Amino acid sequence: MKNKVFSAQEAVARVKDGDHIMVGGFLQGGTPDVTVRELIRQGKKNLTVTSNDTGREGCAVYDLVFAGHVDRVIADYIGLNPKTGQMMIENPDSVQLFPQGTLAEKIRAGGFGLGGILTPTGVGTIVEQGKEKITIDDKEYLLELALRADVAMIRAHIADEAGNLVIRGTARNFNVVMAFAADYVIAEVDEIVPIGELDPNHVTIPGTLIDAVVKGG
Amino acid sequence: MKNKVFSAQEAVARVKDGDHIMVGGFLQGGTPDVTVRELIRQGKKNLTVTSNDTGREGCAVYDLVFAGHVDRVIADYIGLNPKTGQMMIENPDSVQLFPQGTLAEKIRAGGFGLGGILTPTGVGTIVEQGKEKITIDDKEYLLELALRADVAMIRAHIADEAGNLVIRGTARNFNVVMAFAADYVIAEVDEIVPIGELDPNHVTIPGTLIDAVVKGG
Amino acid sequence: MNSREIIARRVAQEFQDGDVVNLGIGIPTLAANYLPEGVQITLQSENGMLGMGPAADPDQATNDLTDAGGNPVTILPGGCFFDSAVSFGLIRGGHVDKTVLGALEVDANGNLANWMIPGKRIPGMGGAMDLVTGARRVIVAMEHVNRNGSPKILQDCKLPLTAKGRVSLIVTNLAVISVKKGGGLVLEELAPEVSVEEVIEKTGAPLEISPNLKPMPILD
Amino acid sequence: MNSREIIARRVAQEFQDGDVVNLGIGIPTLAANYLPEGVQITLQSENGMLGMGPAADPDQATNDLTDAGGNPVTILPGGCFFDSAVSFGLIRGGHVDKTVLGALEVDANGNLANWMIPGKRIPGMGGAMDLVTGARRVIVAMEHVNRNGSPKILQDCKLPLTAKGRVSLIVTNLAVISVKKGGGLVLEELAPEVSVEEVIEKTGAPLEISPNLKPMPILD
């Protein structure tokens, strides 16, 4: 079986300028900070970032946006990252906002081979602009399309050497759906254990989805 | 907090003739047999049943169909229940078949408040009959609509008294999505423990979805 | 009793034993401190938890267990964790009985605006649109007027909406107002020392007066 | 070497180290017994498992750990469990590298029919449509002709399709045939003691002969 454990430097070296990167986490919870900081260190540029919130002060994805590595953001909340807010004011097309549940479903659809989903969320609001509306049994839904990325950077508590991930607490957030939705997936973890040590009932994310496991800080 | 532990007799008494019942399980794996047999004992009739397969010999849902309690079936595979096959031959409208992944997504959509999903599965086959086709980036998808039921009968390994469920092994199958998709949810389990005994990281299905917990055989 | 406490106490009376509730940041969160006797509720946190408990002690705080504001919290016995897709499945799928949120504006048709001020502040909608669309009952908890003294309850919201026609009840420091199905506001309750006239004056939409108009039941 | 073994041995050579593979019931499942040296694959079972192991000993057998045929099995170290929605997310989302299935008919455009015979047998499609639609590479493993000696490889399938244009490779007891992008069949390999003429005769669609035509590499 192929070795999946890499240094952050090795794992991030495969990222290209212009890539679309999904970054797991919810504010400072469950964020792959060592991996994202390596993007800054390696000077990757013109990135698109999908993130729940692009972080708050102290988060690596916050610094990534502030340091100018990101051209385009997809998120649901950017209230704690003024730089993302500034990007949106200067160029409204550079930041796309979706309702949080819609963003989660779009990413899941991308990873699960679905073309999109119908959600009632956003009907009658500006979120419906430019989207197809479909009526079923007299109820209106928005067609929200699947979202995929080149790279996903996610965070877990424990990985085994096959990439199986155990996440604890509220750190699952967007990490789970993003693991399915990118061509190249880097999982940053607190601890790496040999194959066979994890209870298969407790695995949050199947190891077959993970390309690189990186030891976090 | 309300007590959720009931006898099978009490839990099933709330089911009405004509109800649509989702029954979890995959062949004989993870099936709520005690609860389903109680439907037979109480003589509930004219039921619609959604099930992966309507069981095989020895399964309660197999007997439920054979004993004539079921007017309509929604499934993906009925090859091991000849009575369901016979229903389909006698009245093609009485049995609706969907691809397994589509059936899982339809039920999930029903439980997750989505109107439906777009899947590539079934495009170019008879499964697309009567369904809307939507093209996105030159790829065709079928719009498959959400499915909900009046009742879900599911199976788990352990429940706590709040209804939180832990499922082991391959018994998760349809039990997980069905727990979200019905107005009244009965969980049949091997073991019931006091609140606080389950690790919140290991809960497969949130207890807030469960109306009745029944001790299985 | 200050405004925030009046609102929080009155909101708490809307909860029934066994309710699953999602509380917005600010006044709504305070409501959990004033549950009526015998009423236990389960708090849902949209970042991925049911059974949210109080703030974590500093020595127990971890980024792996936070609330939707990112603050370290605890989980109560009987709680559980899940990912964002499941969390919003619970919300959108009608598995959250009540949500309580603040508002910039709310109107006579139950429309709510609480996520952006064009040209000024666009923090994003976060989970608010899904919560207001999906929760079984939507309760707005807010000061009756804004900082300039202008009504926040209007005939029609002027700001971009969070969701259309989903608000059932408005609880403010002055009054409790219900939204009729199909539209229209009914003044149901008055805060201590508040008159019908004051509420009418500070409300930007016509108010029907309930035949059962009564004082807010917010005794300790 | 019997037909089934020939097919299973040849199919096994399609697997690369690290592949995630879903094997249909029957001949496809046998392929796992003939993995080339140094090749480890992970078996996906659509009822909710990665890392499926051999059949369970009778004293270990449980209905909580079965394969997609309902037979008690084991899970290997490094495996994990999930529900049906996630399982088909893996399948439909392209996270299964290869699927191997039997067929009633397969045609020159890579169409596959393997789930129903109208008026005769309608067992349902189970997971087959999702597998054929979603797996990165679809391999058909079957006897070259049916019980009446009629070709199962046709110009156009007559039976209701499982999926359109998704088959890449056909492995039979007589030959290995690839499906060209855009349609058309290429005879790539011959089983021991089988002639080009025999394959052409028993195939219901025109065959291009590969310039690299070779014997099936199924030595022990």
Side-chain angles (χ1 to χ4, degrees), chain A residues 7 11 19 34 91 93 97 103 105 124 126 129 140 146 166-167 189 195 210 214 216:
Chain A
S7 68
D19 270 356
V34 168
N91 174 10
D93 292 340
L97 294 173
L103 186 59
E105 285 296 320
I126 60 171
Q129 282 168 10
E140 286 185 321
V166 173
I167 307 185
V189 299
I195 290 172
I210 308 303
V214 167

Side-chain angles (χ1 to χ4, degrees), chain C residues 31-187:
Chain C
N33 300 335
Y34 301 109
L35 291 178
E37 215 177 292
V39 171
Q40 255 190 297
I41 63 174
T42 300
L43 292 181
Q44 202 253 11
S45 188
E46 66 264 34
N47 57 319
M49 170 176 30
L50 275 161
M52 182 166 64
D57 289 337
D59 60 326
Q60 301 262 315
T62 154
N63 285 339
D64 280 354
L65 182 36
T66 60
D67 66 15
N71 310 299
V73 290
T74 52
I75 186 166
L76 298 175
C80 65
F81 299 113
F82 33 79
D83 65 51
S84 295
V86 172
S87 186
F88 283 89
L90 289 167
I91 289 167
R92 208 191 300 101
H95 307 290
V96 171
D97 297 302
K98 281 151 196 164
T99 189
V100 186
L101 306 93
L104 297 167
E105 297 173 350
V106 56
D107 76 21
N109 291 306
N111 299 327
L112 170 66
N114 75 347
W115 74 280
M116 76 172 279
I117 303 172
K120 204 167 163 192
R121 200 175 128 69
I122 313 172
M125 66 291 279
M129 285 192 177
D130 294 287
L131 278 161
V132 179
T133 302
R136 290 189 174 270
R137 188 168 161 83
V138 177
I139 300 166
V140 165
M142 63 177 192
E143 300 279 337
H144 204 91
V145 297
N146 67 21
R147 284 171 194 189
N148 308 321
S150 307
K152 298 173 74 173
I153 304 171
L154 306 172
Q155 181 57 38
D156 291 294
C157 288
K158 290 172 207 150
L159 293 171
L161 296 186
T162 305
K164 230 176 147 174
R166 293 286 307 153
V167 176
S168 299
L169 198 73
I170 306 165
V171 178
T172 78
N173 52 320
L174 303 185
V176 175
I177 294 169
S178 65
V179 182
K180 289 200 287 186
K181 279 189 186 165
L185 301 175
V186 182
L187 177 59

Side-chain angles (χ1 to χ4, degrees), chain A residues 67-146:
Chain A
H69 300 258
V70 178
D71 287 354
R72 198 168 152 252
V73 164
I74 300 170
D76 61 75
Y77 179 79
I78 57 171
L80 297 179
N81 188 328
K83 174 70 177 175
T84 312
Q86 190 190 325
M87 278 174 65
M88 190 165 190
I89 287 163
E90 287 169 7
N91 174 10
D93 292 340
S94 68
V95 180
Q96 250 186 306
L97 294 173
F98 295 96
Q100 195 167 132
T102 299
L103 186 59
E105 285 296 320
K106 282 170 70 76
I107 297 167
R108 178 183 181 274
F112 275 44
L114 302 172
I117 53 100
L118 301 188
T119 179
T121 304
V123 169
T125 77
I126 60 171
V127 165
E128 73 177 41
Q129 282 168 10
K131 290 172 190 162
E132 195 173 339
K133 257 201 268 192
I134 294 179
T135 302
I136 299 166
D137 293 340
D138 295 330
K139 186 166 177 180
E140 286 185 321
Y141 297 89
L142 301 186
L143 172 56
E144 294 275 11
L145 302 180

Side-chain angles (χ1 to χ4, degrees), chain A residues 185-198:
Chain A
V185 182
I186 306 173
E188 178 178 325
V189 299
D190 297 322
E191 193 185 340
I192 301 169
V193 300
I195 290 172
E197 290 220 355
L198 298 179

Side-chain angles (χ1 to χ4, degrees), chain D residues 78-97:
Chain D
C80 64
F81 299 112
F82 33 79
D83 67 52
S84 296
V86 172
S87 186
F88 283 88
L90 290 167
I91 289 168
R92 208 191 301 101
H95 307 291
V96 171
D97 297 302

